[in-house]
Amino acid sequence: MTQLGAIFLPQNPPERLREVVRAADDSGLDELWLWEDCFFESGIATATAALAWSQRVRIGVGLLPVPLRNVAITAMEIATIDRLFPGRLLAGIGHGVQPWMRQVGADVESPVTLLREYATALRALLHGEEVTTEGRYVRLDKVALDWPPSPPPLLLAGATGPRSVRLCGEVADGVILTASTTVDGVREAGSLIDDGRRRAGRDAAPPVTVYMTARSGAAAAAAEGVRAMVDAGADKVVLEPTADEDPVAYVRFVAEEVAPLTA
């Protein structure tokens, strides 16, 4: 069966999250994904609460905008959550939406350089390494986690432009593609990711997660779209509701109506 997830949009108030998490857990949904969009809700705070309120569903965060976060703090947070809830956190990082980054004074001249430096350092920290680096943006002096997770969690990264997608193939353990990605776009991204993987000398291309917009009540159409994404190279599909969807009903729709059609 294809792995499916659903997104809890941050346009929903945080106090609705508990009932959505419980519905996801009870209905058998594989994954519930959260966003750290400015200026709605924290990805780390909501992920921690969601994991505490649930027993089995995996919780994804896509994406944590790296210009906003010191890499050591992000490593500490991911490591802590993974030790509290082993194997259930899926943490993704990315450039962040550039107008938002400028709005808070966190934009950088080269987002690609920042993401490369950040992902390299973060992955090393999560693997229990001591990191010293003097990059253009990321600077660490003998930094190591006292409580590294074991085994280390997968580090995911998401992007849209070709250079950034290729970079994700180089430095990440999994790649996230937005809901604007078409079926042909998934194929094109797969080639870029594989190219990045080869440049880094990695044996296997990182798995691809793609978001896909789907409305409740259209299970057959959603399942058809999921199958098309998988055929194009997606390893996992996370369904994104429209803003008018009830989030509780939506996770049940994905788990109980769409998932059986994608078996």
Side-chain angles (χ1 to χ4, degrees):
M1 180 180 291
T2 301
Q3 283 193 344
L4 287 181
I7 295 169
F8 175 80
L9 293 176
Q11 287 82 358
N12 294 302
E15 55 269 25
R16 291 219 62 188
L17 181 59
R18 183 195 295 258
E19 61 179 331
V20 175
V21 168
R22 289 181 172 170
D25 216 35
D26 293 343
S27 64
L29 186 71
D30 293 325
E31 297 176 1
L32 181 68
W33 283 72
L34 311 168
W35 291 352
E36 188 165 82
D37 277 2
C38 297
F39 300 95
F40 291 104
E41 295 155 8
S42 157
I44 292 295
T46 51
T48 306
L51 288 162
W53 289 328
S54 59
Q55 297 297 318
R56 44 152 301 278
V57 66
R58 293 184 296 275
I59 301 297
V61 183
L63 299 162
L64 298 170
V66 299
L68 290 179
R69 297 176 158 275
N70 182 280
V71 68
I73 292 296
T74 301
M76 290 164 60
E77 290 179 324
I78 293 175
T80 300
I81 296 172
D82 191 73
R83 290 183 70 110
L84 290 170
F85 308 98
R88 292 180 54 212
L89 175 69
L90 304 166
I93 60 173
H95 296 309
V97 178
Q98 294 309 297
W100 290 340
M101 299 302 101
R102 288 192 291 271
Q103 193 174 354
V104 298
D107 58 317
V108 296
E109 185 176 1
S110 177
V112 172
T113 301
L114 171 58
L115 187 59
R116 178 186 297 280
E117 294 178 356
Y118 197 103
T120 302
L122 179 57
R123 195 167 186 272
L125 290 169
L126 292 175
H127 280 71
E129 300 175 22
E130 181 181 273
V131 180
T132 296
T133 184
E134 187 69 25
R136 182 175 178 181
Y137 300 109
V138 176
R139 301 177 180 89
L140 299 173
D141 182 15
K142 297 181 180 179
V143 174
L145 297 175
D146 286 285
W147 295 105
S150 181
L154 298 179
L155 176 62
L156 312 181
T160 54
R163 287 181 62 208
S164 296
V165 172
R166 185 181 290 111
L167 173 62
C168 291
E170 288 186 53
V171 300
D173 301 312
V175 181
I176 302 169
L177 303 176
T178 70
S180 63
T181 310
T182 63
V183 171
D184 286 340
V186 172
R187 293 192 183 95
E188 293 166 4
S191 297
L192 293 167
I193 293 165
D194 196 51
D195 183 43
R197 184 268 303 173
R198 288 195 302 270
R199 291 185 182 194
R202 304 175 72 178
D203 292 334
V208 175
T209 297
V210 60
Y211 297 154
M212 188 188 86
T213 304
R215 291 191 62 89
S216 290
E224 183 178 355
V226 168
R227 288 191 292 269
M229 291 294 188
V230 171
D231 289 344
D235 298 281
K236 185 186 304 179
V237 181
V238 179
L239 299 187
E240 179 179 331
T242 54
D244 59 341
E245 297 272 9
D246 176 78
V248 173
Y250 193 78
V251 298
R252 293 196 178 279
F253 161 72
V254 175
E256 297 171 0
E257 299 183 43
V258 180
L261 299 178
T262 64

